[in-house]
Amino acid sequence: MHVSLTVWAATVLGLLALIAVDFVIGRKPHDVSVREAGIWTVVWIVLAVLFGLGLFLAGESQASGEFFAGYITEKSLSVDNLFVFVLIMAKFAVPSHLQQRVLLVGVLIALVMRAVFIAAGAAIITTFSWVFYIFGAFLIYTAWKLVKEASSDEPEEEFEENRLLKSIEKRFGVSDRYHETKLFIRVNGKRVLTPLMVVMLAIGTTDLLFALDSIPAIFGLTQDPYIVFTANAFALMGLRQLYFLIGGLLQKLVHLSYGLSVILGFIGVKLVLHALHESGVHVPEISTPVSLGVICGVLVVTTVTSLVAARRNPAAGDDARKSAGV
């Protein structure tokens, strides 16, 4: 799909406008109700669907299918990432009325870093086609790792700050309490970070680890940088509202890791087959409609079996919530 610089600019400006509206509406710190979160979650999903349909009506049916496959994959991986967000909020004891601001800025940081990752990934793929073998092998390994972690009986570990975050805290210093929405304050004449800023950086930088599997995964569905970027953008931009909407239901998705492992493993195989095909080996390739069907089917089955398992064993969900600090 050929995308002109004008279309790129219009898309980025449109996304920035949506983010600005979201920021203005949620500029006043407050506890987000389920109703508010539900409305905005639907709004973001509708916007994503309209974008995909717009591609289809513009004559880009393949791009439309790739967008929906990529969007659903990134959205499902994002839901899994919400578990980590819950741990971060608990680790830093973020007041409930400030959590929406934390997520908004954290997601913006993540979106900028994702754009850098996508640009780098597109450049690498264009120059070195053999990188598909690496991406495919990595996704298959990640799928196996997810299954191993999901099968473990060990309790959820507490969030540990990464080295980058620790170095920033050491360099600037951190105040001992929250100061509403302030990111910096002065203590004894020295400018230091507030805990709010630290949490925002924690969520934003943690997304670097999330991108290690999500970016290769979506490149396994499409090599179009425009589709990769827009699918990631729409999936991330609705993440804040989704956090408040399904926060209490997260621990009931007990089979989500298994479903994601199947999806990542499937995309990993798809990437390896594509790499073999590019190398001149006659192997079948997996089409976009098949990919979309497998992804949707796995997520539906995973959700249904998770809810059934949670209903049969509610105590497991309560224990999981306690271990996560929610």
Side-chain angles (χ1 to χ4, degrees):
M1 175 181 173
H2 174 71
V3 180
S4 66
L5 185 60
T6 302
V7 174
W8 265 106
T11 301
V12 172
L13 288 175
L15 291 174
L16 289 176
L18 290 173
I19 292 172
V21 171
D22 193 14
F23 185 84
V24 169
I25 292 175
R27 68 185 182 278
K28 184 179 180 180
H30 64 282
D31 292 324
V32 178
S33 66
V34 173
R35 181 176 181 275
E36 178 185 346
I39 290 173
W40 278 102
T41 297
V42 171
V43 167
W44 284 115
I45 292 175
V46 169
L47 288 173
V49 171
L50 290 176
F51 181 83
L53 290 176
L55 291 174
F56 181 82
L57 295 175
E60 298 289 347
S61 58
Q62 181 176 346
S64 177
E66 291 174 351
F67 170 79
F68 282 120
Y71 172 73
I72 294 172
T73 299
E74 293 299 313
K75 200 71 173 177
S76 59
L77 288 171
S78 295
V79 171
D80 194 42
N81 298 342
L82 291 181
F83 283 101
V84 180
F85 290 175
V86 169
L87 295 177
I88 292 175
M89 295 293 188
K91 167 77 174 181
F92 293 98
V94 182
S96 59
H97 69 285
L98 293 178
Q99 290 184 6
Q100 61 154 343
R101 180 62 61 87
V102 168
L103 290 170
L104 177 60
V105 178
V107 167
L108 286 179
I109 295 173
L111 187 56
V112 172
M113 291 193 296
R114 290 285 182 103
V116 175
F117 268 60
I118 291 168
I124 293 173
I125 287 174
T126 301
T127 307
F128 308 105
S129 60
W130 48 262
V131 80
F132 284 115
Y133 289 110
I134 298 177
F135 281 2
F138 178 75
L139 290 179
I140 293 172
Y141 167 75
T142 303
W144 172 80
K145 188 177 178 182
L146 275 176
V147 172
K148 186 177 179 181
E149 291 176 352
S151 304
S152 175
D153 293 329
E154 296 181 3
E156 187 72 51
E157 296 181 358
E158 183 179 332
F159 171 77
E160 291 293 336
E161 299 174 38
N162 54 58
R163 291 184 179 180
L164 175 60
L165 193 58
K166 288 180 178 179
S167 65
I168 293 175
E169 290 180 27
K170 185 177 180 180
R171 169 67 177 81
F172 294 96
V174 183
S175 65
D176 58 356
R177 64 184 179 85
Y178 287 89
H179 295 265
E180 287 303 312
T181 58
K182 291 182 179 179
L183 304 181
F184 296 90
I185 63 168
R186 288 196 175 276
V187 178
N188 297 326
K190 180 183 177 182
R191 196 183 192 198
V192 299
L193 304 173
T194 65
L196 186 67
M197 183 64 172
V198 176
V199 181
M200 289 176 179
L201 292 174
I203 287 182
T205 55
T206 300
D207 188 72
L208 283 172
L209 299 177
F210 298 158
L212 291 178
D213 54 35
S214 65
I215 297 301
I218 195 169
F219 270 115
L221 299 170
T222 176
Q223 285 81 60
D224 190 327
Y226 182 76
I227 300 301
V228 173
F229 173 73
T230 51
N232 265 274
F234 277 107
L236 283 175
M237 287 162 59
L239 192 58
R240 179 170 66 93
Q241 290 81 5
L242 197 61
Y243 172 87
F244 294 105
L245 181 63
I246 68 172
L249 298 176
L250 281 176
Q251 303 305 325
K252 293 185 178 181
L253 300 177
V254 294
H255 296 159
L256 179 61
S257 291
Y258 293 109
L260 293 178
S261 68
V262 172
I263 291 173
L264 292 178
F266 169 77
I267 297 175
V269 172
K270 184 177 186 295
L271 275 170
V272 172
L273 291 175
H274 178 74
L276 289 170
H277 182 79
E278 291 293 311
S279 300
V281 180
H282 295 290
V283 293
E285 285 205 84
I286 301 173
S287 66
T288 299
V290 171
S291 298
L292 185 57
V294 169
I295 293 168
C296 291
V298 169
L299 289 177
V300 169
V301 171
T302 299
T303 301
V304 171
T305 58
S306 292
L307 295 178
V308 170
R311 178 176 295 181
R312 290 179 177 176
N313 188 17
D318 293 338
D319 292 340
R321 277 191 291 275
K322 291 178 182 177
S323 67
V326 295

